Amino acid sequence: MNSIEQIETKFLELFQEQPLLVRSPGRVNIIGEHTDYNQGFVLPAAIEKSMYIAISSRTDTHCKIIAHDLQDEFEFDITALSRSEKGWPNYLMGVVDQLMKAGYGLRGFHCVFGGEIPVGAGMSSSAAIEAGLAYGLNVLFNLGIAKKELVRIAQRAENEFVGLQCGIMDMYANIFGMDGHVLKLDCRSVDHRYYPLDHTLSIVLLDTRVSHSLASSEYNKRRAECTEGVRLLQKKYPLVHSLRDATLGMLNELQAEIPSVVYKRCSYVVEENERVEEACRMLERSDYTKLGELLYASHEGLSKKYEVSCPELDYLVSTAKKLPEIYGARMMGGGFGGCTINLVKPEYVDTVTAVLKEEYYKKFDRNPFAYVTSTGSGTHVIEVKSNAAV
Ligand code: GLA
C-alpha cells in the first residue's frame, strides 16, 4: 500500500522531474448490482481510498510505467501496443490504445502509480487506474476531453484491451464522485443525481479475501444471458431495447418461451432496478432500516437468481442479518468473492466488525479484512506541496 508521498518520491528519484499527480478513488456501490450494463440504475460513491498516478511527458512515443505496489515495471511504445502477459500493464495500455484510436495527439510518458485500494476486493482498483490515467493524460497533453468521454474511454479500455465486458458504473463513480454523497446514475441517459450520505450511517466493507478465477468469464456469461432475455422479449415487445424496459409482467407472460436460467437472471435485474429507485427514496427520508432491507433483498437476488455470490459472501451477509446494529448488507461488485458492504450504526462499527471477523474466521479459518470507509471526491489533480528532494 502506497501513499501519495511514496509515489511522488519514487517518481522524483527515477525521473528527476516534478510529475503531474492524480488522485483516483475506488468506489463502493450501495445498491444496483449488474444493472449498469442493462442500462439500469446504480447507486455508487467514490471513496477516500485512492490510487495515485504520477506522470510526466516525453518528446518521443516511448513509455515507461512503474507499478510501485508490485515493484514491477514495463515499457512500451504508444504506436505499437500489444497485450502483455503480465496483466497489469494492460489497464494502462488499454487507455493509451483508446486515445490513439480516437486520434488524440498523445506522446510517450513516464508513470509511477500505486495506492491504497486493495486489488481484488471489489473496490475497483482497475477502474481507478484506467480512469485516473485517462484523466491525467487529458491534463498532461491538454487533450480537451470532456469528463463523460473520459469515463467511456476508461470503460472501453477495460472492454477491449483487458477483456472484461464491464459496465460504466466504476469509471463513472471514479470521475463524478463527490465527497459526502452517493450518486444515482441512470446508465441509459448517462446522467446522475447526487444524494447526501448522512453521518449517521457508516459503511463497513468486509473483504472475504476470496477471488475466483471464473469471475471474468462468468461476468461475460451473465451479460450474454441478459442479452438473450432481451432478444426473447423483443419477439412480443419490440420496444424492449434492454432489461431497463422490461417488467416482471412481460417476463411472466413469456416465461414458457424463456429458458429458466435466463428468466431468473432477467427477473433479478428488473427487481434490482426497482430497488435502486426505492433506495433513493429511503435515502431522502433517512430511513436506513428500509434501506437496509433493500440491501438484504438485493443480496438474496444476487445469490439465488443471478448466482454471482459464493459461500463466503453468503455467510458474511447472513451473519450481518443477525446483528441489529447493521441496517443492511450485501455482496458488492461483480461477485464470486471480493467484499460485502454493510451499512452500520456508527457507534457500533467496532463491535460489529469484530463479530463479523470472528465469525468468519471460525467458519473459514481465514481472517477477512475490514475497511471502514467514507465517501470521497472524484478523480482530480493534486496540488504539489511536497518538498521531496529531486
Ligand atoms: C463490476 C463491473 C461493473 C458492474 C459490477 C456489477 O464491478 O466493473 O461495471 O457491472 O461489476 O454491478
Side-chain angles (χ1 to χ4, degrees), residues 231-365:
R231 193 184 69 79
L232 294 169
L233 285 172
Q234 275 174 345
K235 289 187 175 171
K236 171 89 193 277
Y237 295 100
L239 294 181
V240 170
H241 296 297
S242 71
L243 290 180
R244 163 74 172 275
D245 304 315
T247 62
L248 285 183
M250 292 176 186
L251 283 169
N252 291 341
E253 189 190 332
L254 299 177
Q255 193 169 358
E257 283 128 76
I258 303 176
S260 66
V261 166
V262 174
Y263 175 85
K264 275 201 292 187
R265 309 294 191 242
C266 295
S267 64
Y268 160 77
V269 172
V270 170
E271 287 165 352
E272 183 76 348
N273 275 327
E274 284 169 9
R275 281 189 286 265
V276 179
E277 304 233 63
E278 182 68 1
C280 292
R281 288 189 280 273
M282 294 310 126
L283 268 180
E284 273 173 333
R285 286 192 220 149
S286 300
D287 188 340
Y288 300 141
T289 305
K290 291 250 169 59
L291 177 65
E293 286 165 12
L294 292 167
L295 264 72
Y296 285 127
S298 168
H299 184 82
E300 183 74 9
L302 285 159
S303 179
K304 305 272 164 49
K305 291 186 163 186
Y306 217 66
E307 295 178 287
V308 288
S309 187
C310 61
E312 291 84 353
L313 288 166
D314 287 345
Y315 187 73
L316 279 175
V317 172
S318 64
T319 308
K321 220 169 183 173
K322 292 182 198 140
L323 304 171
E325 300 83 359
I326 299 181
Y327 290 114
R330 59 177 201 85
M331 56 150 275
M332 189 179 78
F336 303 104
C339 56
T340 62
I341 178 169
N342 300 263
L343 302 184
V344 183
K345 299 179 183 170
E347 61 276 32
Y348 296 109
V349 163
D350 291 344
T351 334
V352 299
T353 306
V355 174
L356 288 171
K357 283 177 85 167
E358 193 185 323
E359 293 298 317
Y360 187 84
Y361 182 77
K362 274 198 246 160
K363 174 94 177 166
F364 296 105
D365 203 19

Side-chain angles (χ1 to χ4, degrees), residues 41-61:
F41 301 108
V42 290
L43 195 61
I47 54 174
E48 85 303 346
K49 280 191 192 308
S50 300
M51 298 303 288
Y52 302 104
I53 302 170
I55 39 174
S56 71
S57 59
R58 289 172 55 118
T59 50
D60 58 8
T61 54

Side-chain angles (χ1 to χ4, degrees), residues 27 33-34 36-37 166-167 169-170 219 333-334:
R27 65 104 187 88
E33 220 63 87
H34 290 274
D36 60 352
Y37 54 82
C166 70
M169 167 170 73
D170 305 345
Y219 185 96

